[in-house]
Amino acid sequence: MREWTALGVLALPALLITLDNTVLHLAVPHLSADIHPSGLQLLWIVDIYSFLIAGLLIVAGTLGDRIGRRRLLLLGAAGFGAASLLTAFSRNTEMLILSRALLGIAGATLMPSSMSLIRNMFFDAKQRALAFSIWIACFLVGGAIGPLVGGALLEHFWWGSVFLLGVPAMVLLLILGPILLPEYRDPNPGRIDLASVGLLTLALLATVFGLKKLAADGFAPLSVAALLLGLATGTVFAVRQRRLSHPLIDLKLFRERSFSASMTTMGIALFVMSGSQLFVAQYLQMVVGLSPLKAGLSSLPASIGGVVGSLLAPLALTRMRSAYVMTIGLAIALAGFGVLTQVSAGSGLVTVMVALGLLNFGVAPTIALGTDMMIASAPPERAGAISAVSETLQEIGLGTGIAILGSVGTAVYRTQVADGLASDGLSPESESAIRDTIGSAVAEVSRLPQEVGAQALSTAREAFTHALQYVSTICLVLTALAVLMAPLLLRSVPPGTGAESADSDEAVPPLLKTADPQKT
């Protein structure tokens, strides 16, 4: 059937988004040694992509409803391919941050276009749930492919080569998209409120900047001012949305139980996953001492577990409600974080592999079913905007996890290194580099005398392992809260919501709904 073939085309952006983030984590040690970013710059490199996507997704979603979701997808694919080339050949930290920002701007068009097209192609609830589960599984497949291919590239080429992986995928999407994907748009769109666009973007970026400066400098005037600006701008944005006839975010959505409950549960899951995986990727290379390729291979079982968890989710709905499927999954993830808190500098691979396998398998059903519940809560003609809201909230969860947990972990690392590092034989410059990040520490000790370097490296590795344990404990507590909250939040969600019913008014054969390519 045509819609299932088209789903295969929509899998390309899903594969690419996670692949891009995964290979970045692998490339962090190499780019740290090459262009020497500071701890704050490194955090910007890692998560500016996610936060710019979060700031522009809603704009992109509403734009797709107006100009056509397929058209927006193809424009974004072309931009993403060009930005990938710029990222690959970045010569300094500033250029890399800029190119990652351009990737975020282009990437903001890919996800809401893909999600809204799935919403419009699959009107049968069970088929839509399966389609979203397959789509989510493609994210995890990208996470599995990324370390393997990216690790192999890092073994033989410079760190920028990993970002070239997105170019052929975008070229393929540009070739197949016009042939296989139908076009949809809203027949009665309202105008885009540019003031709301500016307020939302400013609120997100000011908040993130404030959190980063808070982690780096403490309660300095600039960090406090940025956080207050983000809070104030966000408040003005929310008030403005209530007064607009065509708001960027329809605040009434948050009163829908299926939307708000799935949003909260997914947000916690994404927050803890993104923050912990940032540290695990560095732990495998900097502490265990794996090469990039071996680090990629070690994460493969975890990615497979996530794919299996995602695909099993719609099957589990034949026996129980979404609330119970998501709760059981989060309980499995809770066990994974429990294992991760036991990691030590000398524990090796097995502990980490078991922990990641449990985490990915447990979180996947929450993401797959939660996405379907959020998208199904809106009418088809608003699919682009609602998909963008859903994806924005997910990106905020991911980016906030990296920013907050990354900042907390970095602060713990610096404290531990400062307490345990012997200054004998170290210049002030060497001490500063070792205390900044684990990446700069590994690069710096390679230039020191063997005995002094070995002692400093041991201290840095112990400090980073302690930071990983600390972050994992925070994630453990948050996941435990999610396990307790999920059944309470979702208990009043009607059983017919999302994938739990195939007999709703929207259960119309998909081919009839997609016969007119201009119909929303």
Side-chain angles (χ1 to χ4, degrees), residues 195-282:
S196 294
V197 172
L199 288 169
L200 178 61
T201 304
L202 179 59
L204 289 169
L205 295 181
T207 301
V208 177
F209 179 78
L211 289 171
K212 292 176 181 297
K213 294 296 290 182
L214 186 65
D217 305 327
F219 286 95
L222 181 59
S223 59
V224 174
L227 290 172
L228 291 176
L229 175 61
L231 178 62
T233 309
T235 302
V236 174
F237 171 80
V239 172
R240 184 174 179 83
Q241 300 315 290
R242 293 181 179 275
R243 299 175 178 175
L244 295 175
S245 56
H246 293 91
L248 281 181
I249 297 179
D250 186 356
L251 300 182
K252 295 178 182 177
L253 265 178
F254 295 91
R255 294 200 291 265
E256 292 286 339
R257 173 67 69 170
S258 59
F259 185 90
S260 59
S262 57
M263 173 195 71
T264 303
T265 307
M266 288 173 58
I268 295 174
L270 291 167
F271 178 91
V272 297
M273 282 295 292
S274 62
S276 61
Q277 288 188 348
L278 173 64
F279 280 87
V280 168
Q282 295 181 75

Side-chain angles (χ1 to χ4, degrees), residues 140-445:
L140 297 167
V141 171
I145 295 174
L148 297 177
V149 181
L153 289 172
L154 289 172
E155 288 283 327
H156 301 95
F157 303 100
W158 87 111
W159 59 264
S161 63
V162 298
F163 296 105
L164 295 176
L165 295 172
V167 177
M170 291 297 94
V171 171
L172 188 60
L173 177 58
L174 289 170
I175 294 172
L176 297 179
I179 300 172
L180 296 175
L181 293 175
E183 180 64 286
Y184 295 96
R185 61 174 59 93
D186 187 346
N188 300 299
R191 70 179 183 89
I192 296 179
D193 183 56
L194 296 180
S196 294
V197 172
L199 288 169
L200 178 61
T201 304
L202 179 59
L204 289 169
L205 295 181
T207 301
V208 177
F209 179 78
L211 289 171
K212 292 176 181 297
K213 294 296 290 182
L214 186 65
D217 305 327
F219 286 95
L222 181 59
S223 59
V224 174
L227 290 172
L228 291 176
L229 175 61
L231 178 62
T233 309
T235 302
V236 174
F237 171 80
V239 172
R240 184 174 179 83
Q241 300 315 290
R242 293 181 179 275
R243 299 175 178 175
L244 295 175
S245 56
H246 293 91
L248 281 181
I249 297 179
D250 186 356
L251 300 182
K252 295 178 182 177
L253 265 178
F254 295 91
R255 294 200 291 265
E256 292 286 339
R257 173 67 69 170
S258 59
F259 185 90
S260 59
S262 57
M263 173 195 71
T264 303
T265 307
M266 288 173 58
I268 295 174
L270 291 167
F271 178 91
V272 297
M273 282 295 292
S274 62
S276 61
Q277 288 188 348
L278 173 64
F279 280 87
V280 168
Q282 295 181 75
Y283 170 86
L284 291 175
Q285 295 183 68
M286 301 297 187
V287 178
V288 179
L290 297 181
S291 67
L293 180 58
K294 290 181 179 178
L297 288 171
S298 68
S299 66
L300 184 59
S303 298
I304 294 174
V307 172
V308 173
S310 178
L311 296 179
L312 286 179
L315 299 179
L317 289 179
T318 61
R319 296 184 176 274
M320 64 185 76
R321 293 179 57 173
S322 295
Y324 303 127
V325 177
M326 296 166 73
T327 301
I328 292 172
L330 290 172
I332 295 172
L334 179 65
F337 280 119
V339 174
L340 201 56
T341 60
Q342 304 306 306
V343 169
S344 66
S347 61
L349 275 177
V350 176
T351 304
V352 174
M353 290 176 68
V354 171
L356 290 182
L358 291 171
L359 289 176
N360 282 17
F361 182 83
V363 167
T366 296
I367 306 303
L369 299 181
T371 298
D372 179 46
M373 291 172 66
M374 293 178 74
I375 303 304
S377 65
E381 64 272 12
R382 294 285 294 163
I386 301 308
S387 297
V389 172
S390 170
E391 190 64 24
T392 297
L393 295 171
Q394 293 182 45
E395 290 294 339
I396 289 175
L398 289 169
T400 305
I402 292 174
I404 294 180
L405 295 178
S407 299
V408 169
T410 298
V412 172
Y413 168 80
R414 290 172 177 171
T415 301
Q416 292 292 313
V417 170
D419 292 341
L421 186 64
S423 59
D424 295 343
L426 294 176
S427 66
E429 292 77 12
S430 294
E431 282 192 50
S432 177
I434 293 170
R435 290 178 180 179
D436 193 25
T437 66
I438 184 65
S440 62
V442 171
E444 183 64 28
V445 298

Side-chain angles (χ1 to χ4, degrees), residues 60 63-78 109-110 113 117 174 177-178 181-185 518:
L63 181 62
D65 286 341
R66 288 159 175 76
I67 70 171
R69 293 150 193 172
R70 182 183 67 184
R71 179 181 299 176
L72 182 66
L73 178 67
L74 298 178
L75 289 173
T109 66
L110 300 178
S113 302
L117 283 170
L174 289 170
L181 293 175
E183 180 64 286
Y184 295 96
R185 61 174 59 93
Q518 298 300 322

